[in-house]
Amino acid sequence: MAATKDAFFKPEKISAQDRAKTTTDVARQITEMETAARVSKTARLRQLREAQPIEPKAIRPVRGRKTAPAIWL
């Protein structure tokens, strides 16, 4: 390792505005990457769903309602 000023002394302080800007930029990049991944996944799943054949669902017969027997006293 070469003996330089940076190796022995702390670098200059970064201003709060620069740190906030860096944080904002990184957060936006992460959000954009997640959005792009979600959109591509949605498109891929939509294509797979549309490629499947449509099968008609079986219709179940409607059951009648069961009623209690009438008791006459």
Side-chain angles (χ1 to χ4, degrees):
M1 182 170 139
T4 61
K5 181 177 91 172
D6 294 333
F8 296 106
F9 301 103
K10 292 183 179 180
E12 294 180 21
K13 297 249 181 192
I14 299 172
S15 70
Q17 291 177 345
D18 289 341
R19 283 188 294 180
K21 184 179 182 309
T22 302
T23 303
T24 302
D25 291 342
V26 170
R28 285 187 180 159
Q29 288 175 353
I30 291 170
T31 305
E32 289 173 2
M33 289 182 346
E34 290 174 349
T35 302
R38 185 179 67 242
V39 167
S40 66
K41 180 179 177 182
T42 302
R44 181 177 55 84
L45 291 174
R46 180 176 288 128
Q47 286 178 349
L48 290 173
R49 186 173 54 246
E50 289 174 353
Q52 292 178 347
I54 298 174
E55 297 177 9
K57 293 184 179 180
I59 300 174
R60 294 187 324 177
V62 178
R63 290 185 181 178
R65 246 180 121 177
K66 292 184 179 179
T67 59
I71 300 176
W72 298 93
L73 294 179

